[in-house]
Amino acid sequence: MSDLRNIQAVLFDLDGTLIDSAPDLGAAADQLRVARGMPSLPLEAYRHMAGAGARGMLQVGFGMTPEHPDFPALREEFFNNYESCIHERTHTFPGVPELIQALVDQRMPWGVVTNKAERFTSLIVQRMPLFATASAVVSGDTTPQAKPHPAPLFEAAKRAHVDPAQCIYVGDDHRDIVAGKAAGMITVAATYGYLGEGVTPAEWGADFSIQSPLELLKLLNRN
């Protein structure tokens, strides 16, 4: 069993782990449908694919894959829609503010490593007070490679001034666990996030799993 006693920092994925951005992602995609005379879809139709970003939203809204010739143009239109509504419905998952406050009170550095482009990450970080205490915020285009490559996690550890081997990485996607393990971090699967259809987090090989944000505190404080 992985030893949590020497943990010096906690890093998190963003969408599906700290914040529920599915309502705004879905709204941005649905706006594309309505603009083309197509019927609106309910949020729940989009939610399970929210972790896949534009690719997931366009797959749900139009059955379109990145190989489609119209994908790049539609993706950019989706990005513009999302940028204009990025904080209208997005909120933290229940327990996240209390979790972050507890880490701050314990003087435990924390940060974010997301595949979301800095264009969008910066807007969320600026508009949500939660992130004022973050020691590191690394976006999908901060380093040359995004997750599942470990480079973004190494960059976050560097910014937080901690050894990667003394970090926990928490995420709701298999790529998060792959990246965390490649970086030598202890990995935690957030099973309350955007898991997608037919996904089994137990198969990811994470060191731990949590069903709610505050369960992480129980892991950290039990030693």
Side-chain angles (χ1 to χ4, degrees):
M1 183 66 70
S2 300
D3 191 349
L4 298 174
R5 289 174 295 183
N6 295 319
I7 291 302
Q8 298 297 316
V10 181
L11 303 175
F12 299 91
D13 175 46
L14 184 61
D15 302 79
T17 302
L18 291 180
I19 65 171
D20 184 1
S21 53
D24 285 326
L25 288 165
D30 213 54
Q31 187 178 342
L32 298 176
R33 285 178 56 89
V34 173
R36 287 160 175 77
M38 301 170 69
S40 178
L41 295 176
L43 167 61
E44 291 309 311
Y46 294 100
R47 175 173 288 280
H48 73 283
M49 291 297 290
R55 176 173 54 84
M57 296 298 96
L58 296 184
Q59 181 178 330
V60 173
F62 297 89
M64 185 179 292
T65 66
E67 291 73 33
H68 194 286
D70 294 335
F71 184 87
L74 199 60
R75 178 180 59 188
E76 188 56 38
E77 189 177 343
F78 166 79
F79 283 157
N80 290 335
N81 288 352
Y82 180 51
E83 191 169 22
S84 68
C85 73
I86 196 167
H87 200 242
E88 289 183 8
R89 309 163 191 84
T90 292
H91 55 274
T92 57
F93 283 103
V96 166
E98 293 86 350
L99 167 60
I100 297 303
Q101 187 58 54
L103 295 178
V104 171
D105 290 345
Q106 295 174 17
R107 300 184 184 275
M108 175 75 74
W110 72 279
V112 172
V113 182
T114 175
N115 274 0
K116 205 180 200 79
E118 197 275 337
R119 167 185 176 183
F120 306 114
T121 306
S122 62
L123 293 176
I124 290 173
V125 169
Q126 291 167 13
R127 298 178 186 183
M128 298 186 76
L130 177 81
F131 298 99
T133 57
S135 297
V137 176
V138 175
S139 301
D141 48 1
T142 300
T143 59
Q145 301 91 1
K147 297 177 298 182
H149 197 281
L153 294 177
F154 287 137
E155 177 63 22
K158 178 182 176 182
R159 294 185 181 190
H161 306 291
V162 295
D163 185 333
Q166 294 179 310
C167 293
I168 285 178
Y169 186 52
V170 186
D172 70 311
D173 190 275
H174 185 215
R175 292 170 297 178
D176 298 324
I177 306 307
V178 172
K181 285 185 170 295
M185 298 182 180
I186 291 178
T187 55
V188 178
T191 64
Y192 56 84
Y194 305 141
L195 299 182
E197 293 181 337
V199 173
T200 306
E203 298 176 354
W204 298 350
D207 296 299
F208 302 94
S209 66
I210 55 175
Q211 296 181 357
S212 69
L214 288 175
E215 283 188 27
L216 185 64
L217 288 181
K218 298 178 182 177
L219 287 177
L220 290 171
N221 296 334
R222 74 183 186 185
N223 292 308

